[in-house]
Amino acid sequence: MVDESPNTSAAATSQGVADGTLPLLADNAALSQWLAEASNEGLVARTRLKASERVIARVTDGIYRQPASALRELISNAWDADANQVSILTDAPRFSRIYVRDDGAGMSHQTLSRLLHSIGGSAKRREEGQELGVTAKDDADRTPKGRLLIGKIGIGLFSVSQLARKFRIVTKVKGESYRLIAEISLRAYSEDDSDDDESEADDSFISGDVLITREHTNDTSAHGTDVVLDDVKPRVRDLLRSADRWRSVDEKAAAVARGDFEFAATIRTEAPVYHSGWIADLGVREDGADILSRPPNLPWGASDPAGSRMGKLMDAVEREFTKFERPDLANTLDTYLETIWTLALSVPVGYVDKHPFELTSDASVRLFWISNETRGQAQELDLPPGKTVRLAVKEQVKGNPDLLDGAADPAGGFKVTLDGVELKRPIRFKFIRTERRGLEKTMLFVGRYAPNLHRVDRNVTGGGLELEGYLFWNGRVVPKENNGVLIRIRGSSGALFDPTFFKYQISEQTRLRQITSELFIQRGLDAALNIDRESFNFSHPHVQLVTLWLHRAIRQLTNKHKDLSGRARENRRDEEAADLRSAVATYAETVWRSHRGSEPPPEVTISPDVFRAQEARQQGYIAYSRHEMPSLAVHQSAVRTDRDSRAKALVQVLSAFGVLDDRSYEEQQIMIDAILRIFFEMPAQ
């Protein structure tokens, strides 16, 4: 696609709107017919957006939580249009203009007309979609090239209203000698009927105005759609550039500079480790220049290829575990980089490394097949060298099931780049040890579920349900946002990981925090999505069936983990006995067991300095630096041994109660040292 402006005069167009001389094509048929006429090339017509349901119009007021959600919908539209390439430019760190281009099929005049006059009334997965050519002729659930459709409710294109009230669509179908250009202005929805002069009795009502033109082009081979947002909302710009955070950081620095340390201490905000840069006086300089207050600190270099940058971003976040036991995105990244991460997690692209079904024995993983029986047990599978999980399942599981997710894209591949970063799912399946004597491999539980619902009334079940899924147990989940279950419907996800695992009720605090899970829904469940596509109607039968299957899979994982951990403990009984000889250690172990059951307590070590503490953390320890803890910096060997054992016991007790959760190692050291000094350093009064 080439984004070219219409050949009409902006002044003349504005005058035409003002005096009403531009034709108003109020309905779908009239607009489609006008756009079909070659004699209208270069002319401008008016139309008005209409929603098929009043509630759908809330898209203009805000149904998405983050800018990434709106961009996700545009990417999903490109997937449904059989695009192979999507390119997004955000003008970071100013974010004054956002540009989204895809090389999909584009929209014909019939498709665009219908879209503008029926927001929420998607033609996808309907006979009308087949007539318009937006779905396969023999399967309304697939694109013309065979992809499973993501979109359904028909508001994806108008999700951009979250980012800007005015935007431009330029679209072209391959083989045609014209492109269509629509300049869209949206207006806010009002709950007060008196404010809605054009409210209609059938609940279809005006939600915006469009100037639309048909423009000639000689490039008949071009195809695709551009969406251009030239005037991003100020609040959206501030969100993307982390303005509130940077202003707090600047305010804290200013307080320190003037010696107001008391006020500075009240500001807990810290600068992100990695960011796109900060312009404090954006748009306020008289000369019009925007000068960086802080230069960007990105995880990749200018020479790094687009395909490697998501890996660099993951590497940067994973390195933070030397500072935090469970690094998180909020402390590490600014909103812009979090947006990249979130988009990569939610759209139908490949993984940074490998799809979980393509893992081999090199991944140091034990493989299990999830039983669909109510009280079933997971079956351990052999994973010989060179064999993938997908192949091992097909060869060893009864019925020879095929795991379909991650198979070749029938449309020839899908690549999304944002500001030179090729998006890839930021999930890795590599072993991260949490304790020196823990399990020596990760565990991957995979399964398929397609309950027979033919005997149940379709009005009750909502149709059929089919899914594949995995639960990946690891010693540590990095970042912590990757802990939980993520639901992908037809390759796309509107939500992030749910750490409650759909409200799993059995107390497994430590084990649940060590699980990453994805469910790949191939049929069903989309009817249970709420309008924001980021939450579910939990009363829907499909949600209840998925929840039961997931909880059953978790029980099989935790039972297997307890069994394997118990065997490992038996094998090292003598070693553990030596470690637990002291009364302090035994008491700490008792407290831990009383609160965490059979879960193994954390292993704690006191290292001589910061660098060796970081090395110990890489080996799975909770490690502190003696150099940073004055209460432990004693010379007498016997005293030092006693204090070390008490410090380790204290850490286990506090961990049992969750006191240390999500605190940096630096904060933990300060807390432990302060408690120890109360008993060992402070003179009695």
Side-chain angles (χ1 to χ4, degrees), residues 12 44 68 103 183 243 255 265-266 287 292 322 349 378 407 448 470 493 546 597 638:
V44 179
D103 64 352
E183 301 275 353
T266 65
D287 59 5
L292 285 167
T322 62
V349 294
R448 279 183 58 84
Y470 74 84
S493 174
V546 169

Side-chain angles (χ1 to χ4, degrees), residues 128-167:
E128 187 176 359
Q130 294 171 309
E131 294 171 0
L132 292 172
V134 298
T135 63
K137 293 187 180 301
D138 58 347
D139 188 347
D141 277 345
R142 292 184 178 271
T143 69
K145 292 186 178 180
R147 286 173 175 164
L148 284 170
L149 285 165
I150 295 174
K152 182 178 181 182
I153 57 179
I155 62 172
L157 192 59
F158 292 89
S159 63
V160 296
S161 66
Q162 307 296 278
L163 308 178
R165 288 290 181 196
K166 296 181 179 181
F167 57 94

Side-chain angles (χ1 to χ4, degrees), residues 73-91:
E73 295 301 321
L74 294 182
I75 295 171
S76 295
N77 275 358
W79 168 272
D80 287 350
D82 279 330
N84 299 119
Q85 303 273 349
V86 181
S87 178
I88 303 171
L89 301 175
T90 69
D91 186 38

Side-chain angles (χ1 to χ4, degrees), residues 606 624 629 631-632 643 646-648 650-652 654 660 665-678:
I606 309 298
Y624 301 122
M629 302 177 70
S631 62
L632 300 180
R643 291 195 181 183
R646 293 180 185 275
K648 295 175 184 178
L650 177 59
V651 171
Q652 290 185 339
L654 294 177
L660 302 181
Y665 285 115
E666 181 180 5
E667 285 184 300
Q668 292 181 35
Q669 286 181 160
I670 293 172
M671 179 188 299
I672 301 302
D673 186 63
I675 294 173
L676 293 176
R677 290 188 67 185
I678 289 174

Side-chain angles (χ1 to χ4, degrees), residues 162-181:
Q162 307 296 278
L163 308 178
R165 288 290 181 196
K166 296 181 179 181
F167 57 94
R168 182 166 70 257
I169 300 171
V170 184
T171 187
K172 184 183 178 299
V173 175
K174 185 176 182 179
E176 298 291 354
S177 61
Y178 66 90
R179 64 173 60 86
L180 302 176
I181 302 169

